[in-house]
């Protein structure tokens, strides 16, 4: 999904050491990316509430919590020594100070660094000085924070071809953290990827897990995707009401209609537009803006 887009006014400020002054939290109607219930779209905090805190950090998950947002999206890579870490890009340059800490290690790919090396990096200063010292979390740390916050997870497997076997690694970590029990799998977890083979692998390994394919497959190809995925999650710029309806007419591998969660919608006008299309979820950096626009 695309990088953070500043389409809302600056709304994050410091209140003491690292505390956020966020818009007032509003109650959110309980809904699930994993059910057939028709409601207002589920609002998903993209890389956490990444309009208000550095993306894919524990601070961004907490910012979503402060806004009463249940669903949090993240991105997962694997380090040189096999640890799963949460960040978006295949390299560390944009969201950490890796070039300063390890100046001779270009191109600074995640896969070329150990977890201990990545743990030394500052993943917050680029966003704002109040986040100086924020770290890149491991997947274990991230899901433990979501558990503490009573949040839910839309997990994206990034660049799966770069990390053979990452699907098994993700399931192992989720299992160790208690996220593969019946209640989590039923109500609090979706795993998605742009890689169809990766989504198929997750479905083959754990058919009970809800999966999502990121992209906008042609309507004629949708029945093939419905064999292994429960959701088609496209960019909002690539869909219309007819496409959403075509997806929702099909049933996925769990016998429920396919759902559509669209990304990355950061302003009220586009949120209202995709709401009118009938989407099931909206993934956004500014969950408060989208929630207010789709009530």
């Amino acid at each position: 999904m695309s990088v953070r887009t500043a389409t809302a006014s600056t709304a994050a400020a410091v209140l003491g050491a690292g505390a956020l002054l966020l818009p007032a939290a509003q109650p959110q109607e309980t809904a699930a990316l994993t059910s057939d219930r028709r409601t207002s779209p589920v609002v998903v905090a993209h890389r956490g509430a990444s309009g208000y805190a550095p993306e894919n950090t524990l601070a961004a998950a907490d910012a979503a919590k402060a806004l009463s947002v249940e669903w949090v999206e993240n991105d997962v890579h694997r380090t040189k020594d096999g640890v799963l870490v949460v960040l978006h890009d295949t390299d560390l340059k944009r969201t950490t100070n890796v070039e300063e800490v390890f100046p001779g290690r270009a191109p600074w790919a995640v896969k070329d660094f150990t977890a201990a090396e990545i743990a030394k990096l500052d993943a917050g200063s680029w966003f704002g000085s109040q986040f100086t010292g924020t770290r890149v979390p491991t997947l274990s740390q991230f899901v433990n924070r979501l558990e503490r916050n009573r949040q839910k997870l839309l997990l994206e497997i990034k660049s799966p071809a770069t990390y053979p076997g990452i699907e098994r690694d993700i399931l192992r970590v989720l299992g160790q953290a208690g996220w593969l029990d019946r209640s989590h799998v039923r109500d609090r977890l979706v795993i998605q990827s742009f890689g169809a083979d990766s989504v198929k692998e997750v479905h083959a390994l754990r058919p009970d897990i809800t999966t999502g394919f990121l992209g906008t497959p042609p309507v004629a190809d949708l029945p093939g995707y419905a064999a292994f995925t429960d959701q088609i999650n496209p960019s909002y710029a690539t869909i219309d009401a007819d496409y959403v309806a075509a997806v929702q007419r099909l049933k996925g591998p769990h016998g429920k209609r396919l759902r559509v969660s669209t990304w990355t919608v950061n302003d009220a006008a586009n949120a209202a537009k995709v709401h009118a299309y009938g989407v099931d979820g909206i993934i956004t950096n500014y969950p408060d803006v989208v929630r207010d626009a789709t009530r």
Side-chain angles (χ1 to χ4, degrees), residues 7-20:
T7 56
S9 61
T10 302
V14 185
L15 185 62
L20 291 176

Side-chain angles (χ1 to χ4, degrees), residues 58 89 170 196 219 232:
L58 302 184
D89 299 358
I170 288 170
V219 170
I232 300 294

Side-chain angles (χ1 to χ4, degrees), residues 53-105:
E55 64 182 60
N56 276 320
T57 63
L58 302 184
D62 290 345
K65 173 66 174 178
L67 294 170
S68 299
V69 176
E70 290 186 323
W71 280 94
V72 174
E73 187 262 0
N74 76 355
D75 306 285
V76 177
H77 291 266
R78 190 171 65 202
T79 67
K80 182 178 181 179
D81 53 341
V83 177
L84 300 177
V85 292
V86 177
L87 76 166
H88 179 269
D89 299 358
T90 57
D91 65 68
L92 296 151
K93 292 184 293 184
R94 182 175 62 86
T95 59
T96 79
N97 62 340
V98 68
E99 293 179 86
E100 299 172 16
V101 178
F102 298 104
R105 300 278 295 276

